[in-house]
Amino acid sequence: QVQLVESGGGLVQPGGSLRLSCAASGFTSDYYAIGWFRQAPGKEREGVSCISSSDGSTYYADSVKGRFTISRDNAKNTVYLQMNSLNSEDTAVYYCAAEMFPYLLTWERAEGYAYWGQGTQVTVSS
């Protein structure tokens, strides 16, 4: 059974950085996509970034391009989201999600992912 466990959230001042981790287990295929999403109070869940296992392709929402970096450590079965230059608009619960055989995946659409972690809170405040 696929399990995803996020960690690394917390409180950070504006302009600061955090690194989120998504530890994955139970994958039945070497072909998958892992995405990061976030949801702020009263807002819809938003796709932040995604990485493909096939070739390491990465994708980013316009709002985080140049500030966030997604990466993976295959040996640790972990995907990371390095978040720099954080601002108040980045405050949200961050989730990682996975989809096996993502041939038709539109990475930023949450409904395309079958597996989800429990989320980790990121709060950007002075």
Side-chain angles (χ1 to χ4, degrees):
Q1 184 173 349
V2 174
Q3 289 190 324
L4 303 171
V5 179
E6 302 99 332
S7 60
L11 174 64
V12 63
Q13 292 187 342
S17 299
L18 281 175
R19 189 178 77 161
L20 304 183
S21 300
C22 174
S25 62
F27 281 11
T28 57
S29 169
D30 290 333
Y31 182 37
Y32 56 87
I34 291 185
W36 283 100
F37 288 77
R38 64 187 182 186
Q39 189 165 21
K43 294 187 177 181
E44 293 188 355
R45 193 164 294 192
E46 172 192 21
V48 175
S49 185
C50 177
I51 188 166
S52 171
S53 70
S54 60
D55 59 1
S57 295
T58 58
Y59 308 87
Y60 297 94
D62 287 343
S63 59
V64 305
K65 279 181 182 176
R67 300 188 300 122
F68 290 11
T69 303
I70 192 170
S71 63
R72 60 182 178 173
D73 184 334
N74 290 335
K76 295 183 179 180
N77 293 325
T78 300
V79 170
Y80 303 99
L81 186 67
Q82 177 66 43
M83 306 186 297
N84 299 328
S85 301
L86 288 162
N87 58 62
S88 60
E89 294 184 351
D90 297 315
T91 295
V93 178
Y94 283 71
Y95 300 89
C96 67
E99 176 65 7
M100 303 293 114
F101 304 104
Y103 298 105
L104 302 178
L105 181 70
T106 301
W107 77 265
E108 67 268 33
R109 297 187 65 181
E111 56 267 32
Y113 295 80
Y115 306 99
W116 290 82
Q118 81 288 352
T120 185
Q121 176 70 48
V122 172
T123 302
V124 184
S125 176
S126 56

